[in-house]
Amino acid sequence: MHTHILLDHGSGGLASQRLIKDIFVRHLDNALLSSLNDAACLEMSGPVAMSTDTFTVTPLFFPGGDIGSLAVHGTVNDVAMIGAVPRYMSCGFILEEGLELEVLDRIVASMAGAASRAGVQVVTGDTKVVPRGAVDQVFINTTGLGEIRTTNLPQGNRARPGDIVLVNGSMGDHGLTILAQREGLRFQTPVQSDSAAVHNLAHKLIQKIEDVHVLRDPTRGGLATTVKEIAEQSKVSITLDEWNIPVNPGVQEGCSFLGLDPLFLANEGKMICIVPEDKAEQALGIMQADEHGVRARAIGRVSDGHPGQVVLNTAIGGTRLVHMLEGEQLPRIC
Amino acid sequence: MHTHILLDHGSGGLASQRLIKDIFVRHLDNALLSSLNDAACLEMSGPVAMSTDTFTVTPLFFPGGDIGSLAVHGTVNDVAMIGAVPRYMSCGFILEEGLELEVLDRIVASMAGAASRAGVQVVTGDTKVVPRGAVDQVFINTTGLGEIRTTNLPQGNRARPGDIVLVNGSMGDHGLTILAQREGLRFQTPVQSDSAAVHNLAHKLIQKIEDVHVLRDPTRGGLATTVKEIAEQSKVSITLDEWNIPVNPGVQEGCSFLGLDPLFLANEGKMICIVPEDKAEQALGIMQADEHGVRARAIGRVSDGHPGQVVLNTAIGGTRLVHMLEGEQLPRIC
């Protein structure tokens, strides 16, 4: 009947119930969600991994994804990075009065598709509607739960001298795509977000390699900031070889044009994997055999140099120290 | 150094790390949160209850509480209402560029106090900063996990003819307080929010009564909407006696003045408890002995009349049918 979100849709009354039934339950349907109790009751075995992320990306739809699928991928990946198998998610929507119902419907449908492909269920949710101007269209929080089935979990403080640093593909695609969309820029080589759930690849690595030391997804702040964090947490030095770091031609082109560094741009379907040297080749093979790791590369090495230091051997033969992102290159990328 | 939130604080880089350390970790400190991994690893026994809620209340501080403690109480209560013992929470903050750091600090300190009093740990979090105007000051999502330690859990569809309906205190305090604050209204008798965590009372009821049929917190939509939902889910008729429903004098006064019905106003520290008739007195005694149930009353009865119907016997001797909240009395109350 209505075509836009009204304040009534957040009242907790009749209009809220209709919205929940017509959009959320329709797309995300499962027995746990449909019971519509205040909380979902979940059977889980062993220790539980919990991670939360809020998504405020603008524009809502972009080449390679949208806020709905991104909200699933981001949380699934965070849960997977500590070695857990993602199982359940909650979602909390904040909607702006006046948002088109058709837009919300597309977002929730995309979320449902991403959850289904990733093998996770959205089991509980919440919807708030705020007056026009109190939020920009729609923000989504997702909180994920995973089952931890192994010991010897990867952690940010487990990088050891001699270890090899791997990535599963090109850097900076998500960040540059959002920026280009927002500024209306087009490059000769089109760019698109790498938004994807990479938990299956993470699971394979952990199962087959056994002593994966670190897994981390280089989202906000990009590869550079995340590697710097790992170096600090592990109290080691990490050297990266710039010429081995995959960057797509469109991203390279856009970064040159805009004066940005792809190593500081966000990724949403990438992981940094640090393993002992004698396992690096096997890990690289596992990555390259996965749909989300075809362009995986070894990009650097851990040493016992200055603790917390990250050195980049540049493509033109120099070296420079890598610092964390200082200041914001681009807000609202995720 | 800075006194206000900058976009940098959401970059994932150095400024983000400082904010997390100086405000979030400082107040919410615990070993799980301080590890700063992408996800927290939690030891839980038995089935897990999961609930999520987003808080957009304005004003941020109000008599009886603030958005920080409210975000803890709301989620703790939702987890408790399905019979679980709340253990862990995540929190996701959306901050507006320009928010005073001192305001954020007070909110997080209040959240920490509420979590500590409720015996739950905030184990993982996320912070996004959006440009001025993209959100109104600060919104918070909390997602809670609880341990389910009993079978025979209360559920919305378990009300049975003959059961007695109890509440643990006065209705409408939170809703009217927020409204009065926002409109700058003062009443002869001051009002304040009932925001509180009532999980200990819920736990006592479930442990001692064993067959509590329904527990539900009457938040958005108030008592009337929540009782109507229960009548529909359980396919029973419920009759409420208006003269037995506790309403504080200030709330009564404000409602008369504004033409509002306290039965449709939000509560944030209340529960509806439905038990077999022969357990009603015992349940009432347990409630009245708890700090959050001193004014508990039996307010109605379940019958096998028209399924889904709620009848109110009014104070002036009439009867009327109670419907769900249609339209929004007041947005952004929680």
Side-chain angles (χ1 to χ4, degrees):
Chain A
M1 260 171 20
H2 299 293
T3 57
H4 293 76
I5 287 289
L6 310 174
L7 287 176
D8 288 8
H9 286 119
S11 66
L14 220 50
S16 301
Q17 292 205 343
R18 278 193 218 110
L19 181 73
I20 290 166
K21 192 163 152 264
D22 294 350
I23 295 192
F24 293 104
V25 172
R26 183 163 67 86
H27 287 299
L28 298 166
D29 191 33
N30 62 66
L32 289 159
L33 185 67
S34 307
S35 75
L36 296 181
N37 279 310
D38 285 328
C41 176
L42 313 171
E43 293 295 335
M44 301 196 76
S45 61
V48 171
M50 180 185 207
S51 185
T52 193
D53 211 344
T54 307
F55 297 85
T56 65
V57 65
T58 180
L60 298 173
F61 302 90
F62 46 82
D66 58 75
I67 192 171
S69 53
L70 185 67
V72 172
H73 297 155
T75 286
V76 160
N77 291 344
D78 277 343
V79 168
M81 290 304 119
I82 71 154
V85 178
R87 292 284 312 277
Y88 302 111
M89 286 177 61
S90 65
C91 63
F93 279 78
I94 307 172
L95 307 176
E96 185 181 18
E97 179 191 13
L99 179 75
E100 286 177 66
L101 280 177
E102 185 269 334
V103 168
L104 180 63
D105 193 75
R106 280 167 62 199
I107 291 169
V108 178
S110 170
M111 177 173 250
S116 164
R117 285 189 299 278
V120 297
Q121 287 187 309
V122 177
V123 293
T124 190
D126 176 62
T127 308
K128 290 291 185 303
V129 179
V130 296
R132 221 176 276 268
V135 77
D136 187 10
Q137 298 192 81
V138 51
F139 292 170
I140 305 174
N141 175 281
T142 50
T143 302
L145 298 186
E147 284 176 352
I148 297 172
R149 296 178 184 167
T150 49
T151 52
N152 205 14
L153 296 172
Q155 284 196 35
N157 62 6
R158 292 190 57 215
R160 293 288 170 270
D163 285 357
I164 302 295
V165 181
L166 310 169
V167 292
N168 65 319
S170 58
M171 290 293 124
D173 299 274
H174 181 73
L176 196 84
T177 302
I178 297 301
L179 179 60
Q181 282 289 303
R182 219 181 294 165
E183 304 300 328
L185 302 174
R186 285 174 170 274
F187 308 111
Q188 280 196 311
T189 320
V191 290
Q192 75 167 36
S193 169
D194 58 335
S195 176
V198 293
H199 59 303
N200 285 333
L201 175 52
H203 188 64
K204 275 188 264 178
L205 286 165
I206 290 166
Q207 291 295 101
K208 292 184 184 163
I209 300 292
E210 282 178 3
D211 48 353
V212 173
H213 287 168
V214 183
L215 270 187
R216 196 57 82 78
D217 53 342
T219 54
R220 283 183 290 181
L223 177 72
T225 301
T226 311
V227 169
K228 180 76 179 166
E229 271 175 27
I230 296 167
E232 289 182 353
Q233 284 188 286
S234 296
K235 300 183 175 63
V236 294
S237 179
I238 298 179
T239 305
L240 302 176
D241 298 324
E242 192 174 29
W243 58 88
N244 280 330
I245 300 170
V247 178
N248 277 323
V251 173
Q252 199 64 269
E253 192 188 323
C255 281
S256 305
F257 179 72
L258 297 161
L260 296 172
D261 185 340
L263 303 194
F264 285 95
L265 287 177
N267 308 281
E268 290 290 349
K270 293 295 158 19
M271 66 177 79
I272 298 164
C273 175
I274 300 182
V275 294
E277 185 169 18
D278 62 352
K279 299 292 176 66
E281 204 170 325
Q282 188 192 356
L284 198 59
I286 293 167
M287 281 183 157
Q288 288 170 342
D290 186 276
E291 59 171 327
H292 297 300
V294 178
R295 293 186 61 201
R297 296 291 290 271
I299 62 165
R301 175 182 291 273
V302 180
S303 76
D304 56 4
H306 191 9
Q309 181 174 274
V310 177
V311 177
L312 184 74
N313 293 325
T314 66
I316 54 167
T319 65
R320 66 176 168 92
L321 288 181
V322 175
H323 300 285
M324 281 196 191
L325 182 60
E326 275 261 34
E328 175 61 286
Q329 293 206 114
L330 180 67
R332 300 189 63 188
I333 45 171
C334 60
Chain B
M1 258 168 27
H2 299 293
T3 56
H4 292 76
I5 287 290
L6 310 173
L7 287 174
D8 288 9
H9 286 121
S11 66
L14 219 48
S16 301
Q17 292 205 343
R18 276 191 219 113
L19 181 73
I20 290 166
K21 191 162 152 268
D22 293 350
I23 295 192
F24 293 104
V25 172
R26 182 162 68 87
H27 287 299
L28 297 166
D29 192 33
N30 62 66
L32 290 159
L33 185 67
S34 307
S35 76
L36 297 180
N37 279 308
D38 285 329
C41 175
L42 312 172
E43 293 296 334
M44 300 196 76
S45 60
V48 171
M50 180 184 205
S51 185
T52 192
D53 210 344
T54 308
F55 297 85
T56 64
V57 65
T58 181
L60 297 173
F61 302 90
F62 46 82
D66 58 74
I67 191 172
S69 53
L70 185 67
V72 172
H73 297 155
T75 286
V76 160
N77 291 346
D78 278 343
V79 167
M81 290 304 119
I82 71 156
V85 177
R87 293 284 312 277
Y88 302 111
M89 288 178 61
S90 65
C91 64
F93 279 79
I94 308 172
L95 307 176
E96 185 181 18
E97 178 190 13
L99 179 74
E100 287 176 66
L101 280 176
E102 184 269 334
V103 168
L104 180 63
D105 192 75
R106 279 168 63 199
I107 291 169
V108 178
S110 171
M111 176 174 251
S116 161
R117 286 189 299 277
V120 297
Q121 287 186 310
V122 176
V123 293
T124 190
D126 177 63
T127 308
K128 291 289 186 302
V129 179
V130 297
R132 221 176 277 267
V135 78
D136 186 9
Q137 298 192 81
V138 52
F139 291 170
I140 305 174
N141 175 281
T142 49
T143 302
L145 298 186
E147 284 177 352
I148 297 173
R149 296 178 185 167
T150 49
T151 52
N152 204 15
L153 296 173
Q155 285 195 33
N157 63 6
R158 291 190 57 213
R160 293 288 171 270
D163 285 357
I164 302 296
V165 181
L166 310 169
V167 293
N168 64 320
S170 58
M171 291 292 123
D173 299 273
H174 181 73
L176 196 84
T177 302
I178 297 300
L179 179 60
Q181 282 289 305
R182 218 179 298 165
E183 304 300 328
L185 302 174
R186 283 172 171 275
F187 308 112
Q188 280 197 309
T189 320
V191 291
Q192 75 167 35
S193 169
D194 58 334
S195 176
V198 293
H199 60 302
N200 285 332
L201 175 52
H203 188 63
K204 275 188 263 178
L205 286 165
I206 290 166
Q207 292 293 101
K208 292 184 183 163
I209 301 291
E210 282 178 4
D211 49 353
V212 173
H213 287 169
V214 183
L215 271 187
R216 197 56 83 79
D217 53 342
T219 54
R220 281 184 291 181
L223 177 72
T225 302
T226 310
V227 170
K228 180 77 178 165
E229 271 175 25
I230 296 167
E232 290 183 353
Q233 284 188 285
S234 295
K235 300 182 175 62
V236 294
S237 178
I238 298 178
T239 304
L240 302 177
D241 298 325
E242 192 174 27
W243 58 87
N244 280 330
I245 301 171
V247 178
N248 278 324
V251 173
Q252 199 63 270
E253 192 187 323
C255 282
S256 305
F257 179 72
L258 296 161
L260 296 172
D261 185 341
L263 303 195
F264 286 95
L265 287 178
N267 307 282
E268 291 291 348
K270 293 296 158 19
M271 66 177 79
I272 297 164
C273 174
I274 301 183
V275 293
E277 187 171 15
D278 62 352
K279 299 292 176 66
E281 204 169 325
Q282 189 192 354
L284 198 59
I286 294 168
M287 281 182 158
Q288 288 170 342
D290 186 276
E291 58 172 327
H292 297 300
V294 179
R295 294 186 61 201
R297 295 291 290 270
I299 62 165
R301 175 181 292 272
V302 181
S303 76
D304 56 5
H306 191 5
Q309 183 174 273
V310 178
V311 178
L312 183 74
N313 293 324
T314 66
I316 55 167
T319 65
R320 66 177 168 91
L321 289 180
V322 175
H323 300 285
M324 281 197 191
L325 183 60
E326 277 260 34
E328 175 61 284
Q329 289 200 343
L330 181 67
R332 301 189 61 189
I333 46 171
C334 61

